[in-house]
Amino acid sequence: QVQLVESGGGSAQAGGSLKLSCKASGYIFSSCGMEWYRQPPGKERELVSSISANGETTTYADSVQGRFTISQDHARNTVNLQMNSLKTEDTAVYYCATQVGCLYRNGGDYQRATRKYWGQGTQVTVSS
């Protein structure tokens, strides 16, 4: 089954850095793009960054543009989020997710997923 496992969260001082990783399994990693979301305390979940299946296209929320970098490692089926120049407002639970349309094995056939898959989330806390 499709599984996403985040790691790398923790605490940092404002101005510091953290790197999040998301290990994917259970589907063809190169068949769909990946996204990072975050949910600050008491707020809605928001899209932080995305990367296309071939890695050629990346997007960033205005609030993290120039500070965060998304990347993927096809050899390790991993997508990373390098977070630099952290601010207290970056404090949130961070989730990785697949985009819709990942190819996964179902019995003897491959099928396209019609939904996103989500990791369990990892806490990032930035203090001043």
Side-chain angles (χ1 to χ4, degrees), residues 49-72:
S49 182
S50 69
I51 188 166
S52 60
N54 61 11
E56 291 183 357
T57 302
T58 58
T59 68
Y60 298 93
D62 289 343
S63 57
V64 307
Q65 182 75 48
R67 301 188 297 120
F68 289 11
T69 303
I70 191 170
S71 63
Q72 59 189 21

Side-chain angles (χ1 to χ4, degrees), residues 2-4 96-99 102 104 113-119:
V2 176
Q3 193 169 22
L4 302 176
C96 67
T98 67
Q99 292 180 341
C102 297
Y104 66 96
T114 56
R115 49 160 284 190
K116 291 178 185 288
Y117 292 90
W118 295 86

Side-chain angles (χ1 to χ4, degrees), residues 7-120:
S7 61
S11 298
Q13 294 282 324
S17 299
L18 285 172
K19 182 179 179 179
L20 306 182
S21 294
C22 175
K23 173 73 172 175
S25 60
Y27 68 99
I28 299 176
F29 184 73
S30 60
S31 67
C32 58
M34 296 289 288
E35 298 167 336
W36 283 98
Y37 288 78
R38 68 185 181 187
Q39 186 164 18
K43 296 186 179 180
E44 307 243 325
R45 192 174 297 191
E46 60 183 4
L47 177 64
V48 174
S49 182
S50 69
I51 188 166
S52 60
N54 61 11
E56 291 183 357
T57 302
T58 58
T59 68
Y60 298 93
D62 289 343
S63 57
V64 307
Q65 182 75 48
R67 301 188 297 120
F68 289 11
T69 303
I70 191 170
S71 63
Q72 59 189 21
D73 183 341
H74 284 272
R76 293 180 173 83
N77 284 5
T78 298
V79 62
N80 302 307
L81 187 68
Q82 177 67 45
M83 306 186 295
N84 298 330
S85 302
L86 285 164
K87 302 177 180 180
T88 55
E89 51 263 43
D90 294 321
T91 295
V93 178
Y94 284 72
Y95 300 88
C96 67
T98 67
Q99 292 180 341
V100 175
C102 297
L103 269 175
Y104 66 96
R105 191 100 184 224
N106 186 9
D109 297 320
Y110 284 94
Q111 292 187 346
R112 287 278 181 187
T114 56
R115 49 160 284 190
K116 291 178 185 288
Y117 292 90
W118 295 86
Q120 81 286 357

